[in-house]
Amino acid sequence: MEIKRITLPPLAGPGDVTTFYSFESGSARSTALSTMALLLAGRQNATVPVLMIDFDTAAPGLHHYFERPGERPGLLEYFQACRDHLRLFGRGAAARDDAALARQVLEAVDWEPFVERVDQSRPLYLMRAGRFDDSYGERADQFDWDGLFEACPALFRCFADYMAQRFAHVLVDARSGRSAAVSICTTLLPRRLVAVFTPNQGSLDGLSGVVTRAIDYRCSHEDEQRPLLVYPLPSSIDSADVQRRLLWRRGDPQRALAGYQSVIEQLLRQCYGVARISLDSYFDEIQLQQIHAVAGGEALAAGAERDCDRFSPARTFSTLLDWMSGNYFPWQSHAEVRLCAAISAARERLGRGITTALSLPLAHDLYQLGLLYRGNGRVDDAIACFEESTSLRQRLLGDEHADTRATRALLAVLLRQQGRTAEARLLQELLVDDCARLLGTDHPDTLAARAALAATLAHAGEFARALGLHEQIIEASERVLGCGHLHTLDRLAGQAQTLARHGEFSRARMVYERVLEGRERLLGSEHEDSLRCAQQLAALLLELGDLGNARKLQEGVAGARERNAGPDHPATMQARELLAEIMAAQSDLGGVRAMLELLAKSRERCLGADHPDTITSQTRLASTLSEQGDLDAARRLQQKLVDVHEQVHGSDDTHTRDINMALASTPSRQGHGVDARKLADSVQQGGVRRSGILDAPDSGDSLGHKLAQLQELIDQRCEREARALADSLRKIVLRRNVPALLRLRGVALIKQVYQRNNDKDALLAFAQDEVSALQQALTDAVGGRPVSVR
């Protein structure tokens, strides 16, 4: 039979290969692939060529979705032909170059007879599993995929590249379970992997194993070091049973039940080496409901575009394409993905010179993306967005336009947070002048700009000018808006922060109490602004030694954070950490232990066992357990920390030895002095004695003055000088006689220097120094000497 030649629309660049895999539930996997193939082929006025490959030779089914007869050859026959040509070409000189041999074979085997068009309204094509004649089952069962790989390991990688040069999207339907064919589909072929799973532990375990092996293989084999983006797709979700659906996704920490979201977040953290991952936004959008069409593998794809309301599976697949089309990570929020896609499209159109009118929507999207990054703590990314948005708005709207002023105001605040105080101050002074000239000195925007300038002045150490400016702002705000207005309370909160930074703790306390009372009255006690103010006041009370009121206030904050945000939210962990420090100052080791146990579990779930914050929490917990006399628990936890440290940093690392020394002290206290001495001797043999750093005397200048010098060096970007000063101050700021708020400032500045240097080892070392300081403070507290632990 003569095969009609295939004519494809031209491609601007190589296409993408995506594998769809499921440990079980093959019908959901094939339904997802066929529906997404139809959606992709309909894009750009139906000019995007898409190829589907049915690699599930054990249970082929893609051809059923498009009602194609079974007489054509397909994947099995194609690779049988490749195997035959390998035997022929393998005797020649090309066999010495694996990739060259693979390309020679692929050029020799005409792919077109094995591919058919399955939709006449769009360029959608299928390479079926094979010709379904009487011998198909025997041929499929006997085909040696392992042998084909061993004969030419580059064949499958080159096949993926070869087809991606002809099709914009190549979608591979992998078989379920584990086999050589599964490894080919998940490890060798794709750039993206859609991992379908169902609500049971076996499905999750199978998926985790396949994903881990695929990424490990690519990392460990030089020829295969290519990116692999993994997109999990939960299927068979019972939307009617809300309680069960939430339990399966979120789990139940009280019953030690892990939901699928936390399991997959942990999997992706380990595979990609990313410290903090949240799939909240992704799984809010991507859940495949349990419906008859998906479970039965019916031809859902046929009406995909017409069935795109919020209850349809096609809506889920279309949203998943938002992430996949731009190769975004699943932990990027849907809002970020859409904004990035819009920004990328606008830049492309502007690059072709269509119209400068696109610049205003582009500036707006950049502003919104900057706000999103700011909320996620990605300050550098937010600054880049605000800088570009400001530039566009200044050129199109002018410096005096309200939108330009709003972007400049946010940019200045972020520059200050990053230590670029001089740049922030210049922007804010210009902004104050513009607002006063355009709106008047008492306009709320002018007052807000002056308040931001006052905060920057305080950050630079100009407290007299900053406090004077605060007084003027508050007087104007009370006169124009009233004493109880939210904006007035915001101005007062800024004054309280400056007073606390300056060391005027009693005045700061009175102002904070006024702000807290006003916000609770207007917003409620569990509003974000109220909780933030309450925590700031609790930290101040800790510094003043009013431990009872500090604890009562912070217990309310921690409880509200857990109720509203959950036990693993960063704000909840921060609240618990401060509460633990207040309890330590009260010598309540039982309370400290309870808080640190919660912190350690949360951080291990969210960040992984080897993250510096997790190690810090667990080291603090081990110290507390030891001081409480629970030496067995302390020893187990210390041994766990030693194992993690040795795995990540090696046995000769300084802090690995420090933890080993702490571990050595535990058997000594348990009465096993010989074991303790042996362990201590082995630790001492592995390192060099250090001296003179902890006890280095102060040069005579005040610590506050030195921190001001450090801030100036950071602002001026004197990296080498800032690093030297930070290193000299790292022990001093942790001394027990240093006021808590001054210690907080010093710790933040030193960490900022190390982060700028991208020195993760220094960050971890400094965190361990904090732990050592806390351990000594706890020892003193047990001995009856009250200390401030911060």
Side-chain angles (χ1 to χ4, degrees):
M1 181 179 68
E2 182 180 354
I3 302 296
K4 186 177 180 180
R5 306 304 296 178
I6 295 175
T7 303
L8 298 172
L11 298 181
D16 284 315
V17 180
T18 303
T19 290
F20 289 70
Y21 169 79
S22 63
F23 186 71
E24 54 190 22
S25 185
S27 59
R29 180 196 69 231
S30 298
T31 298
L33 184 148
S34 57
T35 306
M36 293 174 74
L38 196 70
L39 293 171
L40 286 168
R43 293 187 167 186
Q44 300 179 23
N45 196 28
T47 59
V48 179
V50 177
L51 172 64
M52 301 175 291
I53 300 178
D54 193 346
F55 228 108
D56 189 358
T57 54
L62 275 183
H63 59 287
H64 291 307
Y65 288 88
F66 302 94
E67 300 179 355
R68 311 303 295 179
E71 69 274 4
R72 287 185 66 108
L75 177 88
L76 196 58
E77 290 76 22
Y78 177 81
F79 279 107
Q80 285 171 340
C82 290
R83 181 188 58 194
D84 294 341
H85 280 78
L86 270 176
R87 291 170 179 167
L88 176 64
F89 296 142
R91 302 187 184 95
R96 292 192 295 270
D97 186 341
D98 191 57
L101 175 60
R103 288 190 291 269
Q104 185 180 7
V105 168
L106 294 171
E107 290 293 343
V109 179
D110 185 6
W111 59 271
E112 293 193 29
F114 306 93
V115 173
E116 58 187 309
R117 186 165 187 164
V118 294
D119 191 310
Q120 296 304 315
S121 64
R122 68 202 81 199
L124 181 59
Y125 297 84
L126 170 66
M127 177 182 281
R128 64 175 67 234
R131 179 185 287 111
F132 304 127
D133 54 21
D134 293 340
S135 66
Y136 172 80
E138 183 179 357
R139 289 187 292 117
D141 185 58
Q142 293 179 355
F143 193 87
D144 185 6
W145 295 105
D146 273 327
L148 184 58
F149 172 76
E150 290 173 1
C152 184
L155 177 65
F156 296 106
R157 180 181 75 250
C158 292
F159 168 71
D161 294 340
Y162 187 78
M163 302 310 290
Q165 292 171 6
R166 290 151 178 82
F167 295 89
H169 298 279
V170 179
L171 309 184
V172 180
D173 194 22
R175 70 169 64 177
S176 301
R178 297 174 181 174
S179 65
V182 168
S183 297
I184 291 169
C185 294
T186 57
T187 303
L188 303 179
L189 296 180
R191 180 181 182 184
R192 301 180 299 212
L193 177 62
V194 177
V196 183
F197 62 95
T198 52
N200 65 76
Q201 192 61 44
S203 180
L204 275 175
D205 290 343
L207 179 150
S208 298
V210 166
V211 170
T212 301
R213 280 195 298 276
I215 293 180
D216 286 348
Y217 183 88
R218 291 197 173 191
C219 291
S220 59
H221 289 71
E222 184 176 353
D223 293 337
E224 296 293 343
Q225 291 185 3
R226 300 169 287 146
L228 179 64
L229 292 171
V230 178
Y231 298 97
L233 176 57
S235 66
S236 301
I237 304 297
D238 187 354
S239 59
D241 191 341
V242 177
Q243 185 175 2
R244 185 179 180 187
R245 171 167 52 88
L246 291 176
L247 179 63
W248 186 48
R249 175 181 172 183
R250 301 289 186 181
D252 186 350
Q254 303 299 328
R255 295 156 54 190
L257 295 177
Y260 70 76
Q261 178 168 324
S262 63
V263 171
I264 293 178
E265 286 172 345
Q266 176 69 11
L267 170 67
L268 297 183
R269 280 197 300 270
Q270 292 174 346
C271 290
Y272 291 101
V274 180
R276 189 181 296 274
I277 285 177
S278 173
L279 299 180
D280 281 340
S281 177
Y282 179 84
F283 282 129
D284 284 346
E285 302 290 339
I286 307 301
Q287 296 185 53
L288 190 56
Q289 297 182 43
Q290 184 175 3
I291 62 174
H292 178 72
V294 173
E298 296 182 0
L300 181 67
E305 288 100 332
R306 297 190 300 274
D307 181 29
C308 242
D309 61 30
R310 66 188 184 93
F311 295 105
S312 70
R315 176 72 165 267
T316 297
F317 299 137
S318 180
T319 306
L320 179 55
L321 287 177
D322 290 342
W323 270 276
M324 292 175 56
S325 297
N327 292 317
Y328 297 106
F329 293 108
W331 54 85
Q332 294 178 263
S333 70
H334 196 213
E336 179 186 351
V337 166
R338 288 190 165 182
L339 284 169
C340 288
I343 289 169
S344 178
R347 284 174 174 160
E348 182 181 355
R349 295 174 67 187
L350 283 170
R352 296 201 300 264
I354 295 178
T355 172
T356 56
L358 291 170
S359 296
L360 279 181
L362 174 59
H364 176 267
D365 287 340
L366 285 164
Y367 178 80
Q368 295 297 322
L369 185 59
L371 290 176
L372 185 65
Y373 286 152
R374 180 194 182 199
N376 292 336
R378 297 167 58 179
V379 179
D380 288 333
D381 292 331
I383 288 175
C385 289
F386 286 136
E387 285 178 335
E388 186 176 355
S389 180
T390 299
S391 176
L392 289 169
R393 285 175 167 174
Q394 284 176 325
R395 187 167 69 247
L396 298 171
L397 303 174
D399 286 334
E400 298 179 352
H401 193 276
D403 290 347
T404 307
R405 295 199 312 271
T407 313
R408 289 165 59 200
L410 280 172
L411 175 59
V413 171
L414 292 175
L415 289 173
R416 182 186 72 219
Q417 292 177 1
Q418 286 298 87
R420 298 162 63 177
T421 310
E423 298 173 69
R425 179 174 178 171
L426 177 60
L427 273 179
Q428 288 167 338
E429 287 174 340
L430 293 173
L431 189 61
V432 167
D433 292 341
D434 289 343
C435 289
R437 178 169 44 83
L438 296 170
L439 306 172
T441 57
D442 291 341
H443 190 277
D445 287 357
T446 307
L447 296 177
R450 295 173 71 193
L453 176 58
T456 300
L457 291 171
H459 198 76
E462 298 185 32
F463 293 108
R465 186 182 171 193
L467 289 171
L469 191 53
H470 278 304
E471 293 288 353
Q472 298 172 18
I473 296 165
I474 292 168
E475 185 277 328
S477 186
E478 289 177 339
R479 173 167 39 82
V480 175
L481 302 173
C483 296
H485 196 279
L486 282 175
H487 289 335
T488 304
L489 296 174
D490 290 342
R491 305 292 86 82
L492 285 165
Q495 181 192 41
Q497 291 172 7
T498 299
L499 288 168
R501 181 185 288 269
H502 192 224
E504 299 186 43
F505 301 137
S506 296
R507 285 185 62 195
R509 173 179 183 168
M510 290 187 294
V511 179
Y512 269 132
E513 287 174 344
R514 178 181 169 185
V515 174
L516 181 59
E517 185 278 330
R519 284 179 173 172
E520 288 183 340
R521 174 169 43 82
L522 294 173
L523 304 174
S525 60
E526 296 192 2
H527 188 274
E528 173 62 30
D529 291 347
S530 301
L531 292 175
R532 184 171 58 252
C533 182
Q535 182 156 310
Q536 290 167 338
L537 179 55
L540 191 64
L541 293 174
L542 169 62
E543 179 60 38
L544 289 169
D546 190 353
L547 302 181
N549 285 323
R551 177 168 181 169
K552 181 178 179 181
L553 201 58
Q554 191 59 22
E555 284 176 339
V557 173
R561 291 293 192 195
E562 183 171 0
R563 285 192 298 274
N564 298 330
D568 296 338
H569 193 275
T572 306
M573 289 189 275
Q574 186 183 48
R576 285 174 172 167
E577 193 161 25
L578 177 57
L579 181 56
E581 292 169 4
I582 295 171
M583 291 172 171
Q586 292 180 310
S587 302
D588 180 7
L589 292 185
V592 173
R593 173 177 179 171
M595 284 298 105
L596 291 180
E597 284 175 341
L598 292 173
L599 269 174
K601 290 177 181 177
S602 292
R603 283 183 169 152
E604 186 167 5
R605 282 195 300 266
C606 296
L607 305 176
D610 58 351
H611 191 275
D613 289 350
T614 304
I615 292 173
T616 298
S617 296
Q618 292 180 335
T619 307
R620 288 178 177 178
L621 176 57
S623 298
T624 304
L625 292 170
S626 181
E627 295 301 332
Q628 262 196 321
D630 192 348
L631 301 181
D632 288 333
R635 180 176 173 82
R636 287 194 299 270
L637 186 52
Q638 287 167 340
Q639 184 62 62
K640 176 182 177 182
L641 291 169
V642 169
D643 294 341
V644 171
H645 250 288
E646 288 183 346
Q647 181 180 357
V648 177
H649 300 284
S651 58
D652 291 334
D653 177 74
T654 301
H655 292 285
T656 302
R657 295 197 302 271
D658 289 345
I659 297 176
N660 264 315
M661 289 300 296
L663 181 60
S665 69
T666 304
S668 177
R669 296 182 61 184
Q670 290 176 308
H672 304 295
V674 175
D675 293 340
R677 284 193 297 273
K678 288 181 179 179
L679 181 55
D681 289 343
S682 67
V683 173
Q684 290 292 345
Q685 291 170 3
V688 178
R689 181 178 300 276
R690 297 168 295 157
S691 63
I693 298 177
L694 181 61
D695 298 324
D698 200 330
S699 64
D701 295 332
S702 68
L703 178 57
H705 179 66
K706 287 187 175 182
L707 292 179
Q709 288 180 327
L710 181 57
Q711 180 68 71
E712 186 175 354
L713 291 173
I714 293 173
D715 293 345
Q716 295 175 357
R717 294 188 174 273
C718 302
E719 304 293 348
R720 182 179 298 177
E721 293 84 353
R723 177 59 186 262
L725 183 54
D727 287 341
S728 70
L729 294 176
R730 56 185 291 170
K731 297 294 185 183
I732 298 173
V733 299
L734 296 176
R735 288 177 176 173
R736 282 170 288 159
N737 61 342
V738 174
L741 294 180
L742 194 61
R743 181 160 57 251
L744 278 175
R745 182 185 177 199
V747 168
L749 289 175
I750 292 169
K751 287 184 176 179
Q752 185 177 344
V753 172
Y754 293 155
Q755 286 169 348
R756 280 191 170 188
N757 295 160
N758 196 27
D759 192 340
K760 296 181 179 179
D761 290 335
L763 275 172
L764 181 58
F766 188 50
Q768 294 294 341
D769 290 341
E770 290 185 86
V771 171
S772 299
L774 176 68
Q775 182 177 4
Q776 185 59 49
L778 288 170
T779 301
D780 292 344
V782 171
R785 296 187 296 276
V787 292
S788 175
V789 183
R790 185 79 185 155

